[in-house]
Amino acid sequence: MAVPASASETETPEPEPSASGIRKRRRWRPWLLRLVLTAASGFVFYLSFAPRPLWWLAPLAFAGFGIALRGRRFWGGLGYGFAFGMAAYLPMLTWLEDFLGVQFGPWPWLALSAALAAYLGLGGALCTLVARLPGAPVWLALVIIVTETPRTWWPLGGFPWGRVAFSQAEGAYLPLASIGGAPLVGFAVVLTGFALAALVVRRPGRTFVVPAAAVVVPVVTGLALWPTIGTGAQAGSLTVATVQGNAPNVGLGLMSETPTLRANHLIQSERLATEIQSGAVPRPDLVVWPETATDLSGTDPALDQAVADLGVPTLVGARYWPRGGRPQNSEFVWDPHTGRGQRYAKQQLVPFAEFVPARTIAEWVTPFLDDTGDMVPGTAPAVLDAAGTRLATPICYEIAYDYVTRDAVNDGARLIVLPTNNAWFGESEMTFQQLAIARFRAVEHSRAVVVSSTSGVSALVEPDGTVTRSTSQFTASSLVGRVPLRDTTTLSDQLGAWTEYGLVSLALLGVLAGLVPAWRTRRAGASDRRATVAE
């Protein structure tokens, strides 16, 4: 009788995994780790922005990004750059949901975040071309920072929010703003980060001198410049008061709350006038209403009376309808005796709020466009003369554009006044992000800044970026304080946009220099393949 075979004899042994199979299973691991590192670094970059005082996180974020980019090719750099941007801008811009979410859904928030991230994706791709050049951290930082130039203007008028420099409202890099503005500060931050990455992953035998210098020099230079940041009055000083009347926290529903907004600011003006007359607060030289606190088309006896009660020149933010024309977002000088005077109209309008770009396409997404009219942008510089001095008057969103405040300061403005309406964005980080930009502009132009908001945060900012007084969100309040008038012209103002042009030119040269070896490598690879086929 045959003996049955044992189980061990009948089972077919499993084949040993091949080397190629092991490589395939392991291939995804470095990719996934890099993606996680990139996304985490992008989120850390977001954390470096206000309301958190964590400016030092920004260079660390770019250090992580630099490590993830190391050794990548063009398309890999594109993907990692996009992931870094999405991880930063999605949380940074959540306030768009409070503003546009009801009317347009999440699409503006997602689309804008993706558009900004696409620029960082392009930067990441181009970084792979310059990564092998001598002094690589410098070229990498140039490539990343110059992507902020086109995205300031395109698409849909551009969106300069979230630039690297705007994370630096305080700290070691901020004094560099007086030398080269936002482009130089952003470059210094990114350079430090990429240099740190080069030190961390330095190959044996490679010198550490260049990356170490690139880490130390920007920080030391910034710290050395702090004593040059002046705050004293050079052309006298003004006592300035802000009127924060408050607004309903209803997001885009604020469009139908203009009468409430107007009434609130008239009431707060009356309170301020009473405090002035009783001596409870010092008599100001200038009062500042916030952006679009009222609608205005013709004469306005109630405003005439409110300003007369205050007894001093007042800047009034209004949605103004010229006779027979479309509205403009305007700031008026209102005299207590002669009434309405000079007017400045906002030049940089907010897409999907003050105008709807690509309206025909947008109608496919939302049915509410019939109620959203387009404002007309202004063309004159943001300057007004009031209280015996010249004022720079960028309105709200315009503070993020370099040229608006710079042109006004170069036109003789001695004080920056920022009227804004942040009630649209709820109790979000937006108002703090904007205040951080205002603090940055104070150092860049060596000017005090007065921020007057409908619902907060209103603030008085010294020329060194220090906030001396501020209000809370969604409260009715006024600030009264003395601010210096200054006529210093910083090197940043003298150079103007040439700092940015110089950085862009250097980045283009670096990319061209990086393209040559990349093209040669690709050509050599093609020749080898042809030779193999011939054999």
Side-chain angles (χ1 to χ4, degrees), residues 73-90:
R73 295 183 179 180
F74 186 89
W75 294 110
L78 181 72
Y80 290 124
F82 183 78
F84 179 90
M86 289 297 282
Y89 296 127
L90 279 173

Side-chain angles (χ1 to χ4, degrees), residues 84-141:
F84 179 90
M86 289 297 282
Y89 296 127
L90 279 173
M92 188 185 301
L93 302 177
T94 51
W95 44 265
L96 278 174
E97 278 293 274
D98 292 312
F99 181 33
L100 299 173
V102 174
Q103 183 170 3
F104 296 98
W107 305 114
W109 170 52
L110 296 175
L112 181 57
S113 299
L116 300 185
Y119 279 106
L120 277 175
L122 176 61
L126 295 178
C127 278
T128 64
L129 300 178
V130 301
R132 295 185 181 276
L133 296 178
V138 174
W139 300 108
L140 294 167

Side-chain angles (χ1 to χ4, degrees), residues 98-480:
D98 292 312
F99 181 33
L100 299 173
V102 174
Q103 183 170 3
F104 296 98
W107 305 114
W109 170 52
L110 296 175
L112 181 57
S113 299
L116 300 185
Y119 279 106
L120 277 175
L122 176 61
L126 295 178
C127 278
T128 64
L129 300 178
V130 301
R132 295 185 181 276
L133 296 178
V138 174
W139 300 108
L140 294 167
L142 284 168
V143 165
I144 290 296
I145 210 63
V146 300
T147 63
E148 295 183 343
T149 295
R151 70 111 150 161
T152 298
W153 303 106
W154 190 88
L156 310 178
F159 193 77
W161 214 268
R163 295 167 69 183
V164 175
F166 296 157
S167 66
Q168 303 299 303
E170 53 191 276
Y173 300 97
L174 181 56
L176 294 170
S178 66
I179 305 300
L184 181 61
V185 172
F187 170 71
V189 171
V190 180
L191 173 60
T192 303
F194 281 137
L196 278 171
L199 285 175
V200 170
V201 295
R202 184 172 60 90
R203 291 186 182 132
R206 298 288 293 271
T207 179
F208 67 90
V209 174
V210 172
V215 170
V216 173
V217 169
V219 175
V220 171
T221 303
L223 292 173
L225 285 171
W226 263 119
T228 70
I229 306 301
T231 60
Q234 297 174 322
S237 58
L238 286 181
T239 299
V240 180
T242 64
V243 175
Q244 180 177 305
N246 203 11
N249 185 4
V250 292
L252 201 60
L254 197 63
M255 292 178 66
S256 60
E257 295 287 347
T258 301
T260 304
L261 203 62
R262 172 185 168 88
N264 287 353
H265 284 80
L266 288 171
I267 291 170
Q268 185 59 32
S269 288
E270 184 179 352
R271 291 194 193 106
L272 178 60
T274 300
E275 292 175 345
I276 293 170
Q277 292 162 10
S278 68
V281 298
R283 176 172 292 277
D285 302 300
L286 177 72
V287 174
V288 184
W289 272 36
E291 175 194 24
T292 57
T294 184
D295 282 352
L296 191 62
S297 56
T299 59
D300 195 319
L303 261 177
D304 288 336
Q305 187 59 54
V307 176
D309 291 343
L310 290 168
V312 296
T314 301
L315 298 185
V316 175
R319 187 184 296 106
Y320 174 65
W321 275 264
R323 184 172 297 178
R326 288 186 295 166
Q328 290 188 301
N329 189 337
S330 301
E331 191 76 6
F332 288 89
V333 177
W334 217 283
D335 187 90
H337 307 294
T338 60
R340 192 174 75 196
Q342 283 182 296
R343 176 172 73 95
Y344 165 67
K346 188 177 184 180
Q347 301 169 75
Q348 291 294 150
L349 301 180
V350 181
F352 296 101
E354 294 170 326
F355 78 103
V356 179
R359 181 176 287 269
T360 303
I361 297 175
E363 286 174 347
W364 300 348
V365 180
T366 175
F368 299 108
L369 292 184
D370 291 341
D371 298 326
T372 306
D374 290 343
M375 288 187 174
V376 178
T379 56
V383 292
L384 292 171
D385 296 314
T389 193
R390 175 154 288 191
L391 309 169
T393 56
I395 298 176
C396 192
Y397 174 64
E398 289 186 313
I399 196 68
Y401 284 85
D402 294 344
Y403 82 95
V404 177
T405 307
R406 181 177 62 225
D407 288 355
V409 169
N410 285 335
D411 200 15
R414 294 172 169 173
L415 174 69
I416 300 170
V417 176
L418 177 61
T420 183
N421 182 356
N422 294 336
W424 303 98
F425 309 104
E427 295 182 6
S428 70
E429 294 183 355
M430 182 273 175
T431 188
F432 300 100
Q433 293 169 5
Q434 186 184 63
L435 177 57
I437 300 173
R439 296 174 63 191
F440 183 91
R441 298 301 187 200
V443 176
E444 179 182 8
H445 303 295
S446 191
R447 299 291 187 272
V449 182
V450 177
V451 181
S452 181
S453 174
T454 51
S455 59
V457 172
S458 300
L460 303 181
V461 182
E462 288 290 296
D464 64 356
T466 302
V467 177
T468 57
R469 298 189 183 188
S470 62
T471 63
S472 301
Q473 288 182 285
F474 290 99
T475 58
S477 183
S478 288
L479 297 175
V480 182

